[in-house]
């Protein structure tokens, strides 16, 4: 930039004009780039709307309250819904979040605060990055070996573990980046006031980094809600409610929206195909709602 | 992070509301789990749901993950029963402790669906024609091998795009088994299997699952591919009439499927293949699909439930299979299977 | 690093208060110190657990793959046949497909993602609109892979087919366009993959850009920079570690994407640089063949999985090296 030349030039001739002139090539370039990025943003939104329109067009006819309280229909059955799948997705993503979020954040704290240059930290960072490339089906296969074979049954927690594997790298890496972005002087001020390192983290770093950590968590949650392959191997599917006979069937095969969509979209039966599209719509809306709740909660920080 | 108590209460209320809508009630229930083939998945789903409506204390979950995965689950004892389009091999059966009972539950046929807007309404394909198409040797629709069987129609000059399965599947297995039975060139070439080495040509494209292949055929003029009868019938895709062993061109239908199954004697372990059925009206590509059970269950209630469910499937269940695109079991087969039920204790 | 005046006073002020017994700040009590130790230990454990977890996964998969690795060795990587009946396996087309599609997705997704991040953080829009667009872009991550696959088949491929045919006819001499698009292929797969990694890159880059101290931007403006000069020469470099982190995360995601690609990439064992030819990826190969695989096939597929993990590893090593060189170059200024 012309900082040094500018200050010398200022002694001599003209200061750069504060108005943006349309003939000035720098200004034109700037405007051009603005238009380009604006266009890029709009173009990037097109697929979302295209997908949503497709979902509405093919499944919108099925949207009704029934969807939330009824069980999946069979081939030519009238009505039906996927209430159990919604509950199943919420439960399994909830379990996955309960596992991966504390895990990820605690590990990230170590990576960002307590031992950023240590060998352990480099190793953990490296492992987390390697984990980002884990195909979803492998997460399912691994969780099958680790949970399903051990407990002897398909279950919601097994699905939760598989999803947690997929969520963990995103949560961990974004949390680490978020914590690194907290200005150093805020941390030093806290230390100056007599905080232990942990208190600095609890009272200063985490609250400040929370919105960015939440972004990472939301991205991970969004992805986990839509994954099919891991659930096929761990939670299977069920055409029944999670709570049968008044008892919580957590260690039984559990329905989920992703598997429902996978199953029904591959059927030749119109009613089930429509249901698949409706389920996809509901899934996207569900994630949006979770996203908004997350943003509302994080806005309450000190 | 401060969340007000009021907001907490709201969240809690919403959660309780959600959970309470999801409560199902039944008495002391028996729960069976199964996984396996995707071919019979819609039918089994219907059967289990209908059975569950009448017998409210029985809950059966079945998920399609593939025949191979289902057998694996069965051997690992993570499911109570499995379903397979390819029955089980001897070594798989030996790996199951306590013995395994295979029961054919229904059958289906595989059709060649095509997309030829300028072509004949009822395309006839001779054995030579369709084998060579899938070997990549016949590449245009107006090839003499095809035109011979369709003398009244003007075949367009379009190139043939072959759509095959991208994923490993029982459908591929049955189709390639049939091709292997009628053509030595096929056996020496791609061979039989759930996934084979298709001829390398950029006119061979792949899509996953039956619906993927059906969708690709629908969208690609000049395409031909192999899918299950139900998908072609319900998706209103034109199906080719195939030349059978007796030399007749047979249209895929319930009757021609049953004619193909009728002539087959089931061996004692109930694993029967029909790679090239004889019979005047027989449609050439048909297969049974099996459910796989343990011979001995720890819980006698489970065994009893299984026997009841299978009995239902063999009687009322067969009545609905037709309209869903499956071939109802011939009566003699139903009898044999009912007798084999006693082996499940 | 020296504290500026205000914080310095606050720190000394607290020491003064300690001496006089006033209460805003106190040295940590023994309970605090204990809690500190416990917390530190906890974070250490979880960082270690991360390594243990990945090692466990690698061992588990590697263990299953070992027989196949012994049997086929390196010819597996070099061969292009996949014949189950003759037991000849090779995944070179899949390795190529994985890398090609992921690099395309990274380039396109990176371009769009960073552009969007810039657009949404540099005051181009009123804050309310920023929030709306932010949510829209993040929603892209919520769409299930299966739905992307179906959208690709029913909407994307028919839409780009005429364009692809035109390009092939007129520019077929360029190797990238040398075959015709018969349906699924590299381009639709790469486009959908771009859309799938876009939210990740955009959201994390957005956070990185937001974290740049405003005074840096103000300083740039004060020196007469146009808005874009400030962005390109001051803000982006400052946020570069965060943005590079976003790109690495996006790339990892692209490498591992399974279902959507399985439906769109064409699943053909052809090795071609053409954007329109069908291809295959390691993850898709795994997903489509695993459910029906018998013991022997399963081992071969696990070998392919090991290769995929190895590729992710290699990419991360390269990425870390690039990162190190970038931070060395940039840490002269900025923060």
């Amino acid at each position: 930039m012309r900082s040094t030349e500018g200050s010398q030039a200022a002694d001599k001739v003209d200061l750069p004009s504060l108005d943006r002139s349309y003939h000035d090539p720098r200004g034109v370039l700037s405007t051009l780039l603005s238009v380009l990025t604006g266009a890029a943003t709009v173009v990037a939104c097109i697929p979302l709307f295209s997908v949503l329109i497709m979902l509405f067009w093919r499944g919108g006819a099925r949207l009704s309250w029934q969807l939330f309280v009824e069980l999946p229909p069979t081939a030519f059955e009238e009505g039906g819904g996927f209430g159990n799948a919604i509950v199943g997705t919420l439960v399994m993503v909830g379990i996955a979040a309960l596992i991966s979020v504390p895990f990820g954040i605690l590990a990230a704290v170590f990576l960002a605060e307590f031992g950023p240059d240590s060998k352990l930290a480099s190793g953990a960072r490296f492992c987390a990055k390697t984990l980002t490339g884990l195909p979803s089906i492998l997460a399912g296969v691994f969780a099958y070996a680790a949970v399903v074979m051990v407990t002897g049954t398909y279950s919601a927690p097994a699905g939760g573990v598989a999803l947690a594997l997929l969520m963990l790298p995103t949560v961990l890496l974004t949390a680490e980046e978020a914590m690194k972005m907290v200005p150093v002087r805020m941390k030093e001020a806290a230390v100056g006031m007599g905080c232990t390192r942990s208190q600095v983290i609890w009272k200063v770093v985490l609250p400040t980094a929370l919105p960015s950590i939440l972004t990472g968590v939301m991205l991970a949650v969004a992805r986990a809600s839509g994954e099919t392959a891991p659930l096929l191997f761990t939670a299977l599917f069920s055409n029944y409610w999670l709570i049968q006979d008044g008892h919580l069937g957590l260690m039984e095969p559990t329905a989920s929206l992703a598997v429902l969509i996978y199953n029904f979209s591959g059927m030749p039966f119109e009613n089930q195909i429509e249901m698949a599209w409706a389920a996809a719509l509901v899934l996207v809306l569900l994630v949006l709602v979770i996203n908004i709740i997350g943003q509302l909660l994080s806005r309450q920080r000190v | 992070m401060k969340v007000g108590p009021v907001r907490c209460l709201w969240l809690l209320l919403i959660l309780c509301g959600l959970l309470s809508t999801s409560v199902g009630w039944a008495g002391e229930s028996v729960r069976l789990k199964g996984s396996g083939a995707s071919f019979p998945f819609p039918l089994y789903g219907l059967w289990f749901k209908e059975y569950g409506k009448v017998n409210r204390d029985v809950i059966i979950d079945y998920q399609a993950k593939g025949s191979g995965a289902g057998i694996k689950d069965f051997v690992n004892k993570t499911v109570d029963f499995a379903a397979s389009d390819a029955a089980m091999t001897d070594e798989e059966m030996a790996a199951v402790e306590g013995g395994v009972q295979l029961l054919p539950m229904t059958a289906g046929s595989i059709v060649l669906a095509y997309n030829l807007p300028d072509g004949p309404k009822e395309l006839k394909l001779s054995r030579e024609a369709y084998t060579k198409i899938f070997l990549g040797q016949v590449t245009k629709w107006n090839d003499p091998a095809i035109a011979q069987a369709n003398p009244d129609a003007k075949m367009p000059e379009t190139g043939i795009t072959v759509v095959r399965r991208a994923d490993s599947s029982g459908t591929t297995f049955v189709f390639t088994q049939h091709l292997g039975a009628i053509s030595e060139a096929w056996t020496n070439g791609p061979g039989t299997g759930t996934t084979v080495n298709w001829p390398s040509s950029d006119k061979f494209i792949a899509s996953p699952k039956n619906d993927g292949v059906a969708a690709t055929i629908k969208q690609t003029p000049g395409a031909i591919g192999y899918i299950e009868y139900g998908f072609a019938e319900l998706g209103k895709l034109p199906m080719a009439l195939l030349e059978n062993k007796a030399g007749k061109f047979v249209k895929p239908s319930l009757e021609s499927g049953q004619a193909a199954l009728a002539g087959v004697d089931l061996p004692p372990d109930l694993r029967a293949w029909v790679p090239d059925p004889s019979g005047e009206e027989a449609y050439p590509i048909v297969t049974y699909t099996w459910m796989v059970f343990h011979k001995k269950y720890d819980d006698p209630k489970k065994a009893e439930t299984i026997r009841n469910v299978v009995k239902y499937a063999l009687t009322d269940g067969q009545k609905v299979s037709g309209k869903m695109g499956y071939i109802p079991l011939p009566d003699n087969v139903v009898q044999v299977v009912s007798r084999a039920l006693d082996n499940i204790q | 690093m020296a504290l500026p005046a205000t914080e310095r006073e606050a720190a000394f002020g607290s020491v003064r208060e300690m001496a006089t017994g006033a209460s805003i700040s106190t040295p940590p009590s023994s309970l605090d110190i204990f809690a500190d130790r416990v917390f530190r230990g906890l974070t250490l454990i979880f960082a270690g657990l991360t390594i243990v977890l990945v090692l466990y996964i690698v061992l588990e998969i590697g263990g299953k793959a070992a027989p196949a690795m012994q049997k086929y060795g390196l010819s597996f990587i070099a061969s292009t046949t996949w014949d189950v009946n003759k037991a000849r396996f090779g995944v070179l087309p899949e390795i190529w497909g994985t890398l090609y599609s992921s690099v395309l997705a990274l380039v396109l997704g990176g371009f769009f993602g960073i552009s969007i991040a810039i657009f949404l953080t540099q005051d181009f829009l009123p804050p309310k609109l920023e929030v709306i667009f932010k949510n829209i872009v993040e929603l892209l991550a919520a769409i299930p892979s299966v739905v992307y696959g179906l959208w690709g088949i029913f909407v994307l491929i028919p839409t780009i087919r005429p364009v692809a045919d035109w390009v092939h006819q007129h520019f077929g001499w360029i190797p990238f366009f040398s075959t015709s698009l018969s349906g699924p292929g590299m381009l639709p797969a790469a486009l959908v993959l771009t859309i799938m990694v876009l939210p990740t890159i955009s959201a994390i880059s957005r956070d990185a850009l937001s974290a740049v101290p405003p005074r840096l931007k103000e300083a740039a403006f004060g020196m007469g920079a146009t808005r874009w000069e400030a962005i390109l020469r001051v803000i982006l470099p400052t946020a570069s570690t965060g943005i590079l982190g976003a790109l690495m995360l996006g790339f990892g995601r692209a490498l591992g994407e399974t279902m959507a690609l399985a439906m769109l990439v064409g699943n053909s064992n052809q090795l071609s640089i053409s954007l329109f030819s069908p291809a295959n990826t390691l993850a898709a190969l795994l997903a489509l063949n695993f459910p029906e695989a018998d013991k022997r096939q399963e081992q071969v597929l696990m070998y392919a999985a090991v290769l995929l993990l190895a590729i992710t590893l290699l990419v991360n090593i390269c990425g870390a090296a690039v990162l190190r060189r970038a931070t060395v170059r940039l840490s002269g200024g900025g923060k």
Side-chain angles (χ1 to χ4, degrees):
Chain A
M1 249 194 306
R2 311 199 195 122
S3 46
T4 42
E5 306 158 43
S7 52
Q8 284 173 356
D11 295 330
K12 296 184 182 173
V13 192
D14 46 347
L15 292 161
S17 161
L18 289 176
D19 292 324
R20 193 178 305 151
S21 151
Y22 287 111
H23 303 294
D24 177 14
R26 289 164 57 202
V28 168
L29 186 64
S30 187
T31 317
L32 205 68
L33 284 172
S34 302
V35 168
L36 205 68
T37 44
T41 309
V42 171
V43 165
C45 295
I46 293 179
L48 178 73
F49 288 120
S50 172
V51 173
L52 285 179
I53 290 174
M54 180 185 75
L55 292 178
F56 259 119
W57 181 49
R58 286 170 179 253
R62 286 300 224 130
L63 284 178
S64 70
W65 277 116
Q66 268 189 324
L67 291 180
F68 293 84
V69 295
E70 290 195 17
L71 292 171
T74 54
F76 296 103
E77 206 176 335
E78 288 290 323
F82 39 78
N84 61 338
I86 296 177
V87 171
T89 297
L90 284 170
V91 166
M92 286 194 280
V93 173
I95 295 178
L98 266 166
I99 299 175
S100 62
V101 172
F103 192 130
I105 293 183
L106 282 173
V109 165
F110 182 81
L111 259 59
E113 297 293 324
F114 287 139
D117 302 315
S118 64
K119 284 237 168 97
L120 181 61
S122 318
R125 206 171 287 132
F126 196 68
C127 286
K129 288 191 180 162
T130 311
L131 214 53
T132 61
L134 189 73
S136 46
I137 189 168
L138 280 183
V141 170
F142 177 75
Y144 180 79
V147 185
V148 178
M149 298 276 289
V150 166
T151 56
T153 174
Y154 288 98
S155 59
V161 167
L163 292 178
L165 272 177
L166 291 174
M167 287 174 70
L168 184 66
T170 308
V171 172
L172 204 161
L173 293 169
T174 46
E176 187 200 354
E177 286 296 327
M179 285 190 257
K180 284 205 291 203
M181 291 194 248
V182 174
V184 181
R185 41 186 77 126
M186 285 181 76
K187 293 187 270 194
E188 291 181 350
V191 172
M193 292 181 67
C195 290
T196 59
R197 295 291 297 277
S198 307
Q199 286 174 324
V200 171
I201 292 175
W202 276 106
K203 292 176 193 275
V204 175
V205 177
L206 280 181
T208 315
L210 191 68
S212 302
I213 297 180
L214 209 69
T215 308
V217 171
M218 283 302 138
L219 277 175
V221 162
R223 184 200 172 175
S225 321
E227 283 288 351
T228 316
L231 295 176
L232 279 177
F233 287 88
T234 48
L236 218 60
F237 191 73
S238 166
N239 283 307
Y240 303 94
W241 294 105
L242 199 60
I243 303 182
Q244 291 279 156
D245 316 332
H247 97 294
L248 191 62
L250 267 186
M251 297 308 286
E252 299 287 346
T254 313
S256 57
L257 282 171
V259 176
L260 182 105
I261 297 171
Y262 174 77
N263 285 342
F264 279 8
S265 61
M267 290 291 127
F269 311 110
E270 271 308 311
N271 68 331
Q272 290 184 331
I273 296 177
E274 278 177 7
M275 192 128 288
W277 299 112
L281 250 181
V282 169
L283 179 61
V284 173
L285 287 172
L286 198 69
V287 172
L288 179 65
V289 166
I290 295 178
N291 221 326
I292 293 181
I293 292 180
Q295 286 172 15
L296 285 176
L297 287 177
S298 83
R299 234 187 272 159
Q300 302 235 6
R301 62 185 177 89
V302 174
Chain B
M1 182 173 74
K2 291 204 173 9
V3 183
V6 182
R7 280 188 202 234
C8 249
L9 212 60
W10 272 116
L11 275 173
L12 216 61
L13 274 173
I14 295 174
L15 270 170
C16 288
L18 271 176
L19 283 178
S20 66
T21 62
S22 69
V23 178
W25 296 99
E28 179 61 56
S29 59
V30 180
R31 193 155 187 168
L32 292 172
K33 293 173 271 193
S35 76
S38 49
F39 165 59
F41 175 56
L43 187 61
Y44 292 172
L46 181 66
W47 283 349
F48 298 150
K49 190 157 190 191
E50 293 297 314
Y51 188 80
K53 277 191 193 154
V54 176
N55 303 280
R56 310 229 41 161
D57 56 340
V58 175
I59 297 177
I60 313 178
D61 282 319
Y62 175 76
Q63 172 61 22
K65 306 166 49 174
S67 308
I71 304 280
K72 258 182 259 170
D73 283 342
F74 186 73
V75 171
N76 290 333
K77 295 206 167 183
T78 46
V79 292
D80 301 307
F81 68 93
S84 165
D85 293 336
M88 277 173 95
T89 60
D90 292 323
E91 26 171 52
E92 283 166 348
M93 290 174 81
V96 182
E97 23 173 299
V100 59
Q101 179 65 53
L102 286 156
L103 295 174
M105 286 280 112
T106 186
S109 41
I110 295 174
V111 304
L112 294 182
Y114 61 94
N115 178 349
L116 205 57
D118 316 320
K121 283 271 156 23
E122 302 220 322
L123 178 71
K124 296 195 176 76
L125 289 175
S126 64
R127 301 204 133 180
E128 187 198 350
Y130 68 79
T131 312
K132 286 203 169 143
I133 290 177
F134 283 92
L135 277 171
Q137 292 166 354
V138 165
T139 52
K140 284 201 185 286
W141 282 106
N142 62 349
D143 190 293
I146 306 178
Q148 263 174 358
N150 298 281
D152 314 323
K154 173 129 178 30
M155 302 298 300
E157 216 194 304
T158 339
I160 301 181
T161 304
V162 175
V163 186
R164 59 163 178 99
R165 285 290 285 267
D167 51 331
S168 256
S169 103
T171 314
T172 307
F173 180 78
V174 174
F175 182 59
T176 51
Q177 194 183 49
H178 169 75
L179 285 177
I182 65 174
S183 154
E184 221 179 291
W186 184 268
T187 318
N188 295 335
T192 303
T194 52
T195 160
V196 299
N197 196 14
W198 297 92
S200 69
S201 146
D202 61 341
K203 286 310 222 166
F204 271 68
I205 57 184
S207 287
K209 303 208 288 171
N210 277 298
D211 67 304
V213 174
T216 310
I217 296 176
K218 256 194 186 161
Q219 298 193 340
T220 316
I224 185 170
Y226 60 93
I227 53 179
E228 281 154 21
Y229 172 64
F231 278 89
E233 178 76 9
L234 289 164
K236 307 212 185 3
L237 282 164
M239 300 176 256
L241 278 69
L242 300 183
E243 183 189 354
N244 66 5
K245 195 168 182 177
K248 284 192 71 171
F249 289 93
V250 181
K251 193 174 159 112
S253 69
L254 287 185
E255 293 76 26
S256 56
Q258 281 185 319
L261 295 175
V264 178
D265 284 323
L266 287 175
D269 62 2
L270 300 181
R271 292 187 290 171
W273 296 107
V274 201
D276 192 13
S278 47
E280 283 284 312
E281 302 297 325
Y283 181 75
I285 319 180
V286 293
T287 177
Y288 282 111
T289 182
W290 290 261
M291 269 202 210
V292 181
F293 300 102
H294 290 289
K295 280 206 167 127
K296 180 102 182 56
Y297 283 90
D298 294 329
D299 181 356
K301 251 193 132 191
K302 271 191 183 174
E304 192 191 328
T305 313
I306 288 177
R307 288 198 298 270
N308 290 339
V309 173
V310 173
K311 275 196 204 116
Y312 166 81
L314 292 173
T315 50
D316 294 326
Q318 298 298 317
K319 296 186 193 138
V320 292
S321 56
K323 81 171 171 187
M324 290 176 73
Y326 299 92
I327 305 176
L329 294 176
D331 289 325
N332 58 331
V333 175
V334 172
Q335 286 185 6
V336 174
V337 176
S338 305
R339 260 176 283 148
L341 258 187
D342 298 328
N343 294 342
I344 300 175
Q345 292 300 332
Chain C
M1 200 188 293
L3 295 174
T6 46
E7 275 100 345
R8 222 180 296 145
E9 272 177 21
F12 286 149
S14 67
V15 173
R16 220 176 297 134
E17 281 165 301
M18 262 163 53
T20 59
S23 66
I24 286 190
S25 55
T26 48
S29 68
S30 50
L31 184 63
D32 290 336
I33 296 185
F34 177 68
D36 178 50
R37 290 244 176 82
V38 167
F39 187 63
R40 280 206 223 197
L42 213 62
T43 59
L44 195 120
I45 291 176
F46 276 102
L49 266 179
T50 314
I51 303 183
V52 167
L53 183 68
V54 174
L55 278 175
Y56 184 25
I57 295 179
V58 169
L59 275 168
E60 180 80 31
I61 298 178
K64 292 209 176 108
M69 288 170 83
Q70 267 181 341
K71 186 156 177 216
Y72 296 101
L74 285 175
S75 70
F76 191 62
I77 306 181
S79 158
T80 59
T81 6
W82 186 271
D83 191 333
V84 178
N85 285 329
K86 303 203 177 98
R88 288 206 320 255
F89 300 101
V91 289
L92 188 61
E94 281 79 15
I95 296 178
W96 167 251
T98 306
L99 287 171
Y100 195 18
S101 60
S102 303
V103 167
L104 280 175
L106 182 69
V107 167
L108 284 172
F111 170 70
F112 276 98
I114 299 178
S115 304
I116 295 173
I118 295 175
F119 193 66
L120 292 182
T121 52
Q122 302 303 317
D123 307 318
F124 286 99
L125 293 173
K128 287 229 174 84
L129 271 183
E130 276 182 7
V131 170
I132 292 179
F133 270 104
K134 179 175 89 82
N135 276 320
I136 291 179
V137 172
E138 271 180 31
L139 261 189
L140 280 173
I143 298 178
S145 310
V146 179
V147 173
Y148 271 124
L150 292 168
W151 177 73
I153 294 178
F154 290 120
V155 176
L156 188 68
I157 293 180
T159 311
I160 64 176
R161 199 185 259 149
V163 176
D165 285 335
W166 184 87
V167 171
H168 173 61
Q169 275 174 2
H170 291 94
F171 298 104
W173 47 272
I174 303 179
F176 287 114
F177 307 126
S178 52
T179 61
S180 67
L181 185 73
S182 40
M186 178 55 71
L187 186 63
L191 285 176
V192 168
L193 207 56
T194 304
I195 299 173
M196 294 175 87
V197 302
L198 189 74
T200 308
I201 297 179
S202 156
I204 301 176
S205 303
R206 213 189 51 234
D207 283 332
L209 288 169
S210 306
V212 172
R215 64 185 71 179
L216 277 178
K217 196 159 76 166
E218 289 164 10
F221 285 148
M223 291 210 239
T226 61
R227 172 183 255 163
W228 272 94
E229 282 174 354
I231 292 175
L232 289 175
R233 298 197 204 204
V234 176
I235 299 176
L236 272 184
T238 314
S240 62
T241 43
I243 294 181
L244 276 166
L247 287 173
M248 298 292 337
L249 211 60
F251 193 58
R253 177 89 167 80
L255 285 173
E257 176 50 42
T258 312
M259 299 249 55
L261 284 193
M263 297 165 93
L264 293 173
V265 77
N267 313 100
S268 141
N269 286 349
Q270 295 187 8
L271 250 184
S272 167
I273 201 172
S274 165
L275 285 172
F276 303 144
S277 95
N280 207 356
T281 66
L282 288 169
L285 180 79
L286 203 63
L288 290 174
N289 288 303
F290 189 77
E292 292 283 345
D294 58 20
K295 201 72 185 198
R296 191 192 47 179
Q297 248 196 309
E298 193 178 315
Q299 291 165 352
V300 174
L301 288 173
M302 286 296 129
Y303 189 5
V306 167
L307 283 175
L308 182 58
L309 283 176
I311 291 178
T312 316
L313 218 94
L314 273 167
V315 161
N316 280 316
I317 295 179
C318 296
V322 167
L323 204 77
R324 227 173 295 138
R325 208 155 328 145
T327 36
V328 161
R329 197 162 50 90
L330 295 164
S331 65
K335 276 200 280 186

